[in-house]
Amino acid sequence: MSQIALVGAVELGLVYALVALGVYLSFRALDFPDLTVDGSFPLGAAVAATMIVSGFDPWLATFVAIVAGALAGFATAFVSVRFGVLHLLASILTMIALFSVNLRIMGRPNVALLTQETVLTPFLDLGLDDLWVRPLFLAVIVLVALIGLAWFLRSETGLAMRATGANPRMARAQGVRVGAQVIAGVMLSNALVSLAGALFAQTNGFADVTSGVGTIVVGLAAVIVGETVMPSRRLWVALVSCIVGAVIYRLAVQLALSADFLGLQASDLNLATALLVLVALVLPKLRGRALGRTLGRRAGA
């Protein structure tokens, strides 16, 4: 693997680390399977790219993209909570609707940003190697998101949200507004995913309406790989493992695609993703079975 491919994999892993944090919040903290992320990721890219091309400040465009993602999450959670629609179905409906919304926003399937100023532009003149500017910038953004999310989940509101995901009946008995917590959590989750989409568009120089395909799989893969590598019940470790898992996932995929003896091509990306997720799911179970057999033999002896 070349240095450019390595740095590119880390860069993309940091972008998807934000997706992994959002997926962790919805799937793990709230126990709300949410497929909206396949639509909110390109939504963030579409909003940011369209505003930047229209002459708006890149930071303002990124902020509006975050708000747009939160509104997408609100649509999913509101339909599920208010009307009792199954969360998976509600998120699928929102995801499908967002495909048309993204096309409406961009006016065409893709928008190029190669000649436009982005949030990265001021940092490219600092004298650093352009190869390292993007991953360093993304690392700072991910660190800020990590600290902010950890602080929030440890706050009174965050604890109520986690209680809602762990046991909604008990949380409701303790006076927690379960519906409001679900809506707020899904909004925050999709806001993080939309931020990832906005940064993806600006670091890669384009926004495409199909860029969100498989985002939920990538986010789940990052969470699962991270939990496999860093198993822990502590909140900080769980959040850090999402970031580590996202980077490891992208490195593993890039390594698989770069290994000539495997014979994989760029078109085999989904295959490599599926196999990696499968390995991450199976390994802990195999490890647990092996440990159980060892303990059984010792007890029998």
Side-chain angles (χ1 to χ4, degrees):
M1 186 189 307
S2 65
Q3 183 183 19
I4 295 178
L6 175 63
V7 175
V10 172
E11 176 186 325
L12 198 54
L14 290 171
V15 170
Y16 282 112
L18 295 171
V19 176
L21 291 175
V23 170
Y24 174 85
L25 181 59
S26 59
F27 274 79
R28 288 289 188 256
L30 273 177
D31 193 24
F32 189 102
D34 183 22
L35 302 183
T36 313
V37 297
D38 271 21
S40 57
F41 184 87
L43 174 65
V47 171
T50 303
M51 290 188 66
I52 291 173
V53 170
S54 300
F56 287 91
D57 180 79
W59 289 102
L60 175 61
T62 304
F63 175 75
V64 175
I66 295 173
V67 174
L71 291 176
F74 172 82
T76 295
F78 182 79
V79 169
S80 178
V81 172
R82 180 66 179 82
F83 301 107
V85 179
L86 183 67
H87 33 55
L88 281 175
L89 180 57
S91 61
I92 290 173
L93 292 174
T94 305
M95 176 186 67
I96 294 173
L98 285 176
F99 185 85
S100 297
V101 171
N102 294 336
L103 277 175
R104 280 279 189 172
I105 292 173
M106 292 193 294
R108 50 190 184 276
N110 54 73
V111 175
L113 294 174
L114 294 176
T115 60
Q116 304 293 328
E117 290 191 3
T118 66
V119 292
L120 286 163
T121 302
F123 301 98
L124 295 174
D125 300 326
L126 297 178
L128 295 174
D129 189 345
D130 290 353
L131 183 65
W132 297 100
V133 171
R134 286 189 293 271
L136 288 175
F137 173 81
L138 291 171
V140 173
I141 297 295
V142 171
L143 180 61
V144 172
L146 170 67
I147 295 174
L149 184 60
W151 173 82
F152 171 75
L153 290 177
R154 287 180 176 273
S155 67
E156 184 175 347
T157 303
L159 290 172
M161 187 175 294
R162 292 160 64 187
T164 298
N167 192 329
R169 291 185 178 180
M170 181 62 70
R172 189 178 290 107
Q174 296 298 321
V176 176
R177 297 176 60 189
V178 173
Q181 292 296 333
V182 170
I183 292 175
V186 177
M187 287 180 67
L188 179 57
S189 171
N190 283 277
L192 286 169
V193 175
S194 193
L195 170 61
L199 294 176
F200 175 86
Q202 296 178 68
T203 54
N204 288 272
F206 72 95
D208 193 279
V209 72
T210 62
S211 60
V213 176
T215 302
I216 183 62
V217 177
V218 176
L220 282 173
V223 173
I224 294 170
V225 170
E227 290 176 345
T228 303
V229 175
M230 302 174 61
S232 176
R233 293 182 177 273
R234 300 179 61 182
L235 177 63
W236 272 98
V237 178
L239 293 178
V240 171
S241 71
C242 293
I243 299 173
V244 173
V247 175
I248 291 177
Y249 162 77
R250 286 307 314 178
L251 287 173
V253 170
Q254 184 61 46
L255 183 62
L257 295 178
S258 301
D260 295 333
F261 67 92
L262 292 178
L264 296 178
Q265 302 176 0
S267 59
D268 298 322
L269 176 61
N270 289 341
L271 174 61
T273 299
L275 292 176
L276 181 60
V277 174
L278 180 61
V279 170
L281 287 171
V282 171
L283 275 181
K285 294 183 179 181
L286 293 178
R287 189 184 305 165
R289 290 179 182 177
L291 180 61
R293 291 174 183 173
T294 302
L295 293 176
R297 292 173 183 174
R298 290 180 179 178

